[in-house]
């Protein structure tokens, strides 16, 4: 009798496992998966525009595979397992450095930029400077000053860790460093580069989020960046107060990282 009941439980459990994903099938036409960072495949047509769809079966498999119930949960679980057990970051648009720092990598070829292979030409910098000067002139008519501040990307500060330490040679200046220098030397634009400030503090503390965010500065970076910006502005407006570390109480809190956020998807 016990064996019979166990068999029934097993059959029921198996039926639930098989049918539940289909019951939870995603039918919404324009559904998006934020875990997979894509729009889900659309329902294919068997016959369209006066002819049979030769790719129907392939498109149908993609449709079912994208929309079957709990797919996002399964994908998230695999991502977490790869990260915690194998040290592999398999998330679109992100890469992991040698010290498990997470970097946003869906832009230009950052390696070429930070090893000095990709530079702006003088003509390009001149055109960019003209655009900035145009903004400055428009704001001046509104009795407003323009301060052009370059905040380096995370990989521009922690370049030795970026892409797992694959950048063997780091150029003294990136193309944005060159552009800031160009603005200072050739225009009346009030430009400043926070790169040297960040390099001064980077070995003392993390200035960017390590795993929570792949590109933005954390509270430390925001503090020292704001401090440097205010020092620049105070040359024109001395009545503006600066900020010092003693003005604030430092408190450490637990923060969800990029991978940990997938646990609750």
């Amino acid at each position: 009798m016990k064996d019979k009941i166990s068999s029934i439980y097993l059959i029921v459990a198996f039926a639930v496992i098989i049918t539940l994903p289909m019951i939870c099938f995603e039918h919404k036409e324009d559904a998006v998966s934020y875990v997979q960072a894509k729009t889900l495949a659309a329902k294919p047509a068997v016959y369209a525009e006066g002819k049979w769809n030769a790719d129907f079966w392939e498109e149908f498999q993609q449709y079912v595979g994208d929309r079957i119930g709990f797919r996002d949960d399964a994908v998230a679980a695999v991502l977490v397992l790869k990260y915690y057990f194998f040290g592999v970051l398999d998330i679109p648009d992100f890469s992991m450095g040698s010290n498990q720092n997470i970097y946003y990598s869906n832009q230009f070829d950052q390696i070429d930029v930070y090893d000095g292979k990709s530079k702006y030409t003088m003509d390009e910098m001149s055109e960019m400077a003209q655009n900035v000067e145009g903004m400055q002139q428009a704001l001046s008519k509104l009795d407003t000053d323009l301060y052009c501040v370059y905040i380096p990307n995370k990989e521009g500060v922690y370049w030795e860790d970026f892409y797992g330490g694959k950048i063997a040679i780091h150029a003294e200046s990136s193309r944005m460093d060159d552009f800031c220098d160009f603005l200072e030397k050739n225009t009346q634009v009030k430009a400043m580069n926070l790169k040297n400030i960040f390099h001064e503090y980077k070995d003392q503390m993390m200035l960017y989020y390590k795993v929570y965010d792949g590109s933005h500065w954390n509270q430390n970076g925001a503090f020292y960046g704001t401090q440097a910006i205010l020092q620049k502005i105070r040359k024109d407006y001395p009545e503006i107060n600066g900020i010092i570390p003693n003005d604030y109480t430092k408190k450490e809190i637990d923060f969800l990282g990029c991978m940990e956020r997938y646990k609750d998807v």
Side-chain angles (χ1 to χ4, degrees), residues 104-239:
Y104 182 62
S105 56
N106 185 31
Q107 301 180 58
F108 42 80
D109 189 344
Q110 294 106 314
I111 293 181
D112 284 349
V113 169
Y114 293 108
D115 67 7
K117 293 178 181 177
S118 178
K119 291 279 193 176
Y120 289 129
T121 65
M122 291 299 293
D123 288 342
E124 288 174 328
M125 289 193 288
S126 295
E127 182 178 352
M128 292 164 63
Q130 288 175 10
N131 292 333
V132 176
E133 287 180 306
M135 294 172 57
Q136 184 185 47
Q137 292 169 7
L139 289 171
S140 67
K141 294 178 181 178
L142 301 174
D143 196 25
T144 302
D145 287 333
L146 172 66
Y147 292 84
C148 187
V149 181
Y150 169 50
I151 304 171
N153 291 333
K154 183 178 180 181
E155 60 270 19
V157 176
Y158 297 98
W159 62 269
E160 65 276 17
D161 175 68
F162 182 49
Y163 266 108
K166 292 180 181 178
I167 303 180
I169 300 174
H170 182 249
E172 292 185 3
S173 65
S174 70
R175 59 188 184 184
M176 282 305 298
D177 295 326
D178 295 341
F179 180 58
C180 284
D181 290 340
F182 185 90
L183 285 177
E184 291 185 285
K185 294 175 181 178
N186 298 281
T187 72
Q188 298 300 312
V189 174
K190 298 170 183 177
M192 66 178 300
N193 188 346
L194 297 183
K195 176 181 176 179
N196 291 335
I197 297 293
F198 277 28
H199 276 266
E200 179 181 344
Y201 290 102
K202 76 170 193 174
D203 292 329
Q204 301 177 33
M205 64 192 77
M206 281 297 298
L207 301 172
Y208 296 77
Y209 291 110
K210 184 172 183 178
V211 295
Y212 172 74
D213 189 302
S215 60
H216 294 96
W217 60 14
N218 59 18
Q219 286 84 351
N220 294 328
F223 174 82
Y224 288 106
T226 302
Q227 188 180 51
I229 294 170
L230 287 177
Q231 287 176 354
K232 176 80 170 180
I233 296 176
R234 287 183 71 191
K235 293 179 180 180
D236 299 320
Y237 301 94
E239 68 275 14

Side-chain angles (χ1 to χ4, degrees), residues 33 35-36 70-84 91 259 261-265:
S33 169
V35 174
Q36 301 172 72
F70 308 110
R71 177 176 172 82
D72 273 1
D73 300 275
V75 171
V78 171
L79 291 174
V80 171
L81 288 173
K82 284 184 176 180
Y83 178 77
Y84 283 106
I91 301 178
M259 293 305 302
R261 285 183 289 171
Y262 280 103
K263 293 178 179 179
D264 297 323
V265 172

